[in-house]
Amino acid sequence: AIDCASQAIDFIQNDNPDNIQIYDDDLEKAIRERHEREKLLDSVDIDENFVTYYQAKVDVNTEEIVGAEALVRFLDPTASGAVRSPWFFIPYYEQTGKVTDIDFFVLRCACKMLRRRLDSGEKVVTISCNFSRIHFVKPDFAIRFEQVLNEYRIPKELIEVEITETLVMEEMQENLAKQTLDDLHAKGVRLSIDDFGAGYSSLGVIEKIPASVIKLDRSFLLNQKDRERQVKIMKSIVELADNLGSQIVCEGVETDADVELMREIGARVAQGYRYAKPVSEMAFEERLSQSVE
Ligand code: C2E
Ligand code: MG
Ligand code: MG
Ligand code: MG
């Protein structure tokens, strides 16, 4: 270790000018790129540059589509419309507040699709939409949400509100978030706890939120060092959900072994690459129409 450290000091002292320069250039480049990205994200129009993808939720026994999650994508105009994942823009939009417009855009996309399918008598399933923590400290979220559903005449049970476990627990300190979630529940809106088990207060969250759905985080399937113990824990969660009248959805189901584990713990609904990836609205609707018995 001493050797290593003295080599490093040597390196810095002897090779100094050039190497420090390279480091500075990299840092400068990273900062410049970030600025450019933020400028781009500030300037783009939501209706023009964002689309909603859908990932099916599937019953592992029948392989029928029983629901879907709406997931937003950015079509990057500076990269010939490359499809960018939420990690590219959600963190920044959470800082600027634009995420609330994104979330409502996605909700509207889902409502429009459902309305069109209802009108033409095609199969529909419940669509879940992700909502950032920022909404829940605003007193008017429940009302705004209801307005959109009313506008498209969408029955409450066809849209689910996904909120992540950790974000909610943090906001729960403030009563406003609890009030908003209770308001939604009172209006008959289905709440879904996203990434359940990924945080540190999972039991606290189901105690406080009247959840219709609990989405078991992908880490449950990934982390199988002590499989027997893992199965016991997951079985207990499934039983707890049953007792509370909540439905379980397993996230990130990729392999046959994951499905086997789901059977063992008594979970039926899977969301994951094993059954479906997030796809464009058109591709999703095609598959949904085919899945009619
Ligand atoms: P999330 O809500 O937990 O969504 C599930 C993510 O897991 C999706 O990533 C999905 O593509 C990915 N996934 C699904 N099945 C598998 C699998 O079998 N294996 C693996 N490795 N991954 C799988 P995506 O679409 O990139 O979204 C990432 C996150 O971005 C979402 O996590 C959600 O927190 C956020 N997000 C997406 N859309 C919205 C939105 O409209 N509003 C807000 N506020 N956040 C959103
Ligand atoms: Mg989600
Ligand atoms: Mg999730
Ligand atoms: Mg997750």
Side-chain angles (χ1 to χ4, degrees):
I2 291 170
D3 222 348
C4 218
S6 65
Q7 266 178 27
I9 290 166
D10 268 342
F11 178 76
I12 290 167
Q13 285 173 343
N14 298 333
D15 290 351
N16 181 343
D18 287 352
N19 283 299
I20 297 291
Q21 194 56 49
I22 286 168
Y23 171 76
D24 273 354
D25 285 352
D26 281 354
L27 194 66
E28 223 180 274
K29 187 167 168 251
I31 292 169
R32 204 173 44 239
E33 278 171 3
R34 183 172 153 180
H35 272 298
E36 266 159 30
R37 184 168 70 182
E38 292 179 353
K39 232 169 54 193
L40 169 70
L41 291 175
D42 281 336
S43 71
V44 289
D45 180 72
I46 293 178
D47 289 303
E48 248 164 64
N49 297 281
F50 290 82
V51 291
T52 300
Y53 272 32
Y54 297 89
Q55 184 179 31
K57 294 172 191 164
V58 174
D59 182 317
V60 295
N61 293 330
T62 62
E63 303 226 338
E64 200 194 342
I65 298 179
V66 294
E69 177 171 10
L71 294 158
V72 68
R73 296 289 182 266
F74 174 49
L75 305 179
D76 190 341
T78 65
S80 8
V83 180
R84 302 262 190 226
S85 100
W87 309 119
F88 186 86
F89 53 92
I90 294 278
Y92 179 61
Y93 283 163
E94 280 187 331
Q95 279 174 40
T96 67
K98 196 167 175 170
V99 71
T100 57
D101 296 331
I102 294 279
D103 291 349
F104 273 102
F105 163 79
V106 171
L107 175 64
R108 282 174 180 281
C109 288
C111 287
K112 271 180 223 168
M113 176 184 67
L114 288 170
R115 185 71 259 155
R116 191 167 24 76
R117 293 184 70 86
L118 287 168
D119 284 344
S120 57
E122 289 166 290
K123 173 174 175 162
V124 293
V125 289
T126 297
I127 307 288
S128 61
C129 297
N130 295 280
F131 287 93
S132 157
R133 63 196 297 171
I134 294 173
H135 297 284
F136 297 96
V137 291
K138 292 184 179 168
D140 63 343
F141 176 73
I143 292 166
R144 283 188 68 196
F145 177 86
E146 198 177 31
Q147 275 169 354
V148 177
L149 267 62
N150 288 342
E151 188 183 327
Y152 294 94
R153 292 173 292 119
I154 303 300
K156 295 262 162 50
E157 60 275 14
L158 284 182
I159 297 283
E160 248 163 43
V161 171
E162 285 199 18
I163 41 191
T164 68
E165 174 194 308
T166 30
L167 300 194
V168 166
M169 279 317 278
E170 280 162 28
E171 296 305 351
M172 274 300 201
Q173 318 299 350
E174 300 167 51
N175 263 330
L176 215 46
K178 169 88 178 125
Q179 189 57 52
T180 303
L181 293 169
D182 286 345
D183 286 352
L184 287 168
H185 179 67
K187 288 177 191 291
V189 176
R190 293 162 61 84
L191 301 176
S192 174
I193 311 292
D194 207 350
D195 304 336
F196 181 83
Y200 44 81
S201 48
S202 308
L203 283 180
V205 110
I206 39 182
E207 185 204 330
K208 291 189 181 61
I209 300 178
S212 298
V213 180
I214 294 172
K215 297 185 81 176
L216 283 191
D217 193 68
R218 189 169 117 78
S219 57
F220 276 107
L221 296 175
L222 288 177
N223 172 17
Q224 290 193 41
K225 268 176 238 148
D226 186 349
R227 193 173 188 279
E228 224 175 293
R229 194 177 154 80
Q230 190 75 354
V231 166
K232 280 184 190 156
I233 293 171
M234 292 176 86
K235 260 190 179 159
S236 309
I237 296 174
V238 171
E239 200 182 305
L240 181 61
D242 277 347
N243 288 335
L244 292 169
S246 309
Q247 188 190 31
I248 289 275
V249 174
C250 289
E251 294 190 299
V253 176
E254 290 186 353
T255 63
D256 290 345
D258 292 340
V259 178
E260 183 47 45
L261 184 65
M262 283 185 66
R263 292 225 161 86
E264 251 177 88
I265 63 168
R268 283 173 63 108
V269 181
Q271 185 182 339
Y273 298 166
R274 166 75 172 73
Y275 294 99
K277 290 197 166 168
V279 293
S280 71
E281 178 177 276
M282 200 201 269
F284 170 70
E285 288 199 69
E286 225 164 83
R287 172 133 183 221
L288 183 58
S289 295
Q290 279 164 8
S291 107
V292 180
E293 44 302 330

